[in-house]
Amino acid sequence: MKLNLAAALAGVTLPTVLAFTPTRTTFHRSSSITSMQVASSSSSWSLQEDLTFNPPDTMNDAQISEVACAEAASLMKRVKVPVPEYVNDDKSVGISYIHWKADETAKRNNKNALPLMLVHGLDSSCLEYRRLGPKLAALGIDTYAVDLLGWGYTQLDDVKTFSAQAKVDALAGFWEVVGNNQPVCIAGASLGGAASIEYASASRSKKDGIVQGAIFIDAQGFIDGIGPMAALPNFLAKIGIEVLKSEPLRDSANQMSYYDKEAYATEDALKVGRYHCLREGWDDAFLSFMKSGGFSPSKKVEKIDVPSLILWGRQDGILDGKEFADKFVETLPDAELCWVEECGHVPHLEQPEFTAEKIASFLRSDKFEDVVPAVSTSSSSPFSFGNVGGIAAAGVAAMAAAGTAVTLIGSN
């Protein structure tokens, strides 16, 4: 299936993109870290929080008025996580995330449901879950929204590759350090679904017991790669990447993401998604991902043999639910489908209360009665560190000049 670039960007960035350039961008990139030992000794890594990391100032620098965004940003942290040497010579990278701690009373009443790890779409950030995270925590679900390496507010300097495999390896490293490899439910929206499939299928293949549940929200699961864009010469690819953060394309993506455009396709929504693109090094990180060829999830979906929930906006204009939602149900060994009415491509942003209730109900169900959310006995990350395995020049030039859509394979 082919999607034009505006549709693809909407699918992965989700409705968080903008045509806004702040007068001052204050991103602190110091490498100083403070080390704190993880409570359990099962992990070989200590939790190293970067205390010099400054979360994005969404209200002042970014001029975003949404209170939920500011509250989420205030909770953002960055930690060092283990990665293979092909990613970084120091074998570690800084990964940003938000943790919404479960309400203890609700948690006790909800059978101590599995913790949930949320993965955003292409070129988005953990702020994508700013409306869903607090609602899940109030329902007793310990919720983590994590940035994929190269996107959001992760480390950009001194990283050798931001490939699809590097993103998956960093995701595994994140849960080893922050989640201590305890059983978890992985959830991905749009392109985050592809990353989640890569992570979950590796876990299930290793039989490590980490991934015990999966949730896919209007997810990309059956489109591999990014097509001819991966073969573009660097100078043309960089032109296309600049267009990715342009006002016309971001506005188009924002409009395509929602059912209720008037209420949700706002200037604030645009600003949330574009702000991280202003960081130094973002362009090169995106180019690295493009040249890697992207994710290849389609043949791995069937390997995820855990209870799975498919959430799909009935009016999704990016990924057709009749085609892809049903295909998830047919392919996954144990899946249930829930349609989200009056909703486009982003249920977690357009219908967060309904989405939270469905996720909490799923995690409290009898499907998980034999799973105890306890620390894994694994001493290291179970993931093997291998590699995951156009636009014509005139097309790129026209896109850059007129802000028109070009073809991109996949819902990146």
Side-chain angles (χ1 to χ4, degrees):
M1 177 180 178
K2 294 184 177 182
L3 303 173
N4 69 39
L5 190 54
L9 182 61
V12 294
T13 313
L14 306 170
T16 54
V17 280
L18 132 87
F20 166 78
T21 302
T23 56
R24 179 169 61 95
T25 305
T26 56
F27 295 108
H28 196 100
R29 298 176 64 188
S30 171
S31 59
S32 299
I33 319 170
T34 293
S35 177
M36 296 176 291
Q37 189 65 39
V38 177
S40 170
S41 61
S42 66
S43 174
S44 59
W45 265 72
S46 60
L47 179 61
Q48 302 174 67
E49 183 178 343
D50 183 353
L51 297 180
T52 68
F53 168 68
N54 290 331
D57 185 351
T58 61
M59 280 199 164
N60 296 308
D61 283 348
Q63 299 179 18
I64 297 166
S65 62
E66 184 179 354
V67 174
C69 183
E71 291 176 343
S74 72
L75 296 174
M76 192 182 298
K77 297 180 180 180
R78 193 163 71 191
V79 294
K80 286 290 185 179
V81 308
V83 291
E85 191 173 359
Y86 83 87
V87 179
N88 180 282
D89 288 334
D90 293 335
K91 298 184 180 180
S92 69
V93 292
I95 296 297
S96 41
Y97 72 103
I98 300 170
H99 179 202
W100 288 279
K101 295 182 180 179
D103 178 87
E104 288 299 326
T105 301
K107 188 174 183 178
R108 287 193 297 271
N109 294 337
N110 292 337
K111 305 179 182 179
N112 288 319
L114 284 173
L116 180 67
M117 181 162 52
L118 299 168
V119 183
H120 62 75
L122 177 145
D123 191 33
S124 186
S125 77
C126 54
L127 291 175
E128 184 178 303
Y129 292 105
R130 61 193 181 275
R131 298 172 190 161
L132 181 66
K135 296 184 184 300
L136 285 168
L139 293 171
I141 308 300
D142 215 22
T143 304
Y144 300 80
V146 57
D147 281 339
L148 290 171
L149 180 64
W151 295 329
Y153 299 89
T154 61
Q155 177 181 335
L156 297 179
D157 54 334
D158 300 324
V159 178
K160 295 192 286 187
T161 177
F162 297 91
S163 67
Q165 184 61 48
K167 286 172 167 52
V168 176
D169 288 339
L171 189 63
F174 168 80
W175 195 244
E176 177 184 342
V177 171
V178 175
N180 212 15
N181 275 346
Q182 66 178 302
V184 68
C185 178
I186 185 76
S190 196
L191 189 76
S196 298
I197 290 166
E198 300 273 12
Y199 174 76
S201 63
S203 170
R204 299 309 297 173
S205 295
K206 294 289 183 180
K207 302 184 185 302
D208 56 59
I210 296 175
V211 174
Q212 293 291 331
I215 298 172
F216 300 105
I217 306 172
D218 293 68
Q220 175 184 323
F222 301 97
I223 305 171
D224 293 331
I226 62 172
M229 288 187 72
L232 281 178
N234 283 358
F235 80 95
L236 286 178
K238 287 181 178 180
I239 293 174
I241 289 169
E242 281 300 310
V243 174
L244 285 175
K245 60 180 177 184
S246 68
E247 295 187 11
L249 191 67
R250 294 276 172 163
D251 182 63
S252 176
N254 196 41
Q255 295 295 323
M256 294 177 70
S257 295
Y258 293 102
Y259 167 72
D260 188 344
K261 296 174 176 54
E262 183 176 355
Y264 295 104
T266 64
E267 184 178 2
D268 258 7
L270 292 173
K271 292 178 181 179
V272 176
R274 187 174 183 261
Y275 193 53
H276 69 275
C277 301
L278 306 177
R279 301 177 64 213
E280 182 183 352
W282 171 84
D283 307 71
D284 290 336
F286 200 102
L287 176 64
S288 176
F289 172 75
M290 280 180 55
K291 304 302 280 187
S292 79
F295 297 103
S296 299
S298 64
K299 297 186 184 306
K300 300 169 185 174
V301 176
E302 63 185 18
K303 298 179 182 179
I304 304 174
D305 56 346
V306 295
S308 302
L309 173 65
I310 315 302
L311 287 162
W312 217 277
R314 182 76 75 174
Q315 288 79 27
D316 187 344
I318 307 297
L319 291 173
D320 183 7
K322 292 182 180 179
E323 177 182 358
F324 292 111
D326 289 342
K327 196 166 185 178
F328 268 110
V329 174
E330 294 168 1
T331 306
L332 288 164
D334 182 6
E336 59 183 271
L337 171 63
C338 177
W339 291 101
V340 186
E341 303 297 339
E342 297 186 353
C343 184
H345 188 61
V346 284
H348 48 297
L349 283 162
E350 193 163 14
Q351 299 287 356
E353 185 169 355
F354 177 86
T355 301
E357 290 174 352
K358 290 300 178 182
I359 290 175
S361 178
F362 170 69
L363 291 175
R364 293 195 299 258
S365 69
D366 292 340
K367 293 183 177 184
F368 299 99
E369 61 182 358
D370 295 329
V371 179
V372 179
V375 174
S376 169
T377 57
S378 174
S379 61
S380 62
S381 174
F383 289 75
S384 60
F385 295 128
N387 287 323
V388 174
I391 308 174
V396 174
M399 176 181 63
T404 56
V406 295
T407 299
L408 173 66
I409 298 178
S411 70
N412 300 338

